[in-house]
Amino acid sequence: MKEIEKEFQVTPELSAAKMGSGQLEVLATPALIAMMENTTQDLLNGVLEAGQSSVGTQIQCNHLKASAIGSSIIVKARLIKKDQRFYSFELEAFDGENMIAKGSHQRAIINVKKFMARL
């Protein structure tokens, strides 16, 4: 199946203290989840047709280890299943050689015009 790997930098704006998810100057879990979603979205860019996008529908993440501001985070996503318009992924994130998170994510392919009209 398809795989992708992406690198992100932990900036002060991505800290738990700045994002409001905690008080420490470490990578915030919501920022880590956004990195994971961004990586899977990039993996799907090759399958999207004109007028389509993908939206996250489910995520499960175990944030195992803190990462300092300035760290370089590598997110790895692997497509494990396609069921009609739903795509499922396995996720891992690393700070150097240390695994800092693992989880799973599901995205749905949507028609942008129809999706936005329903809001």
Side-chain angles (χ1 to χ4, degrees):
M1 294 252 168
K2 292 184 177 187
E3 295 184 31
I4 190 172
E5 178 175 305
K6 257 185 108 166
E7 183 174 3
F8 300 87
Q9 293 300 124
V10 182
T11 62
E13 294 76 25
L14 300 178
S15 74
K18 187 75 167 184
M19 295 190 77
S21 65
Q23 298 175 340
L24 302 178
E25 293 294 329
V26 297
L27 176 62
T29 301
L32 175 61
I33 289 171
M35 292 173 183
M36 292 174 149
E37 283 202 87
N38 179 269
T39 303
T40 59
Q41 182 177 318
D42 281 2
L43 185 56
L44 286 181
N45 282 341
V47 301
L48 297 176
E49 297 174 7
Q52 289 185 327
S53 187
S54 69
V55 294
T57 59
Q58 181 180 23
I59 193 158
Q60 181 276 324
C61 177
N62 293 322
H63 195 166
L64 306 169
K65 185 177 182 317
S67 298
I69 303 302
S71 295
S72 177
I73 306 299
I74 301 292
V75 176
K76 297 180 181 182
R78 184 168 66 96
L79 177 63
I80 58 170
K81 183 179 177 186
K82 179 187 182 289
D83 184 16
Q84 296 178 3
R85 64 185 188 99
F86 293 95
Y87 289 75
S88 298
F89 304 90
E90 284 183 347
L91 304 165
E92 295 178 328
F94 296 86
D95 181 347
E97 293 190 17
N98 297 313
M99 180 184 286
I100 63 164
K102 63 181 178 177
S104 60
H105 182 45
Q106 184 180 67
R107 297 190 74 78
I109 304 298
I110 54 103
N111 176 294
V112 174
K113 196 176 216 179
K114 289 178 183 177
F115 184 88
M116 296 304 289
R118 289 192 300 250
L119 298 181

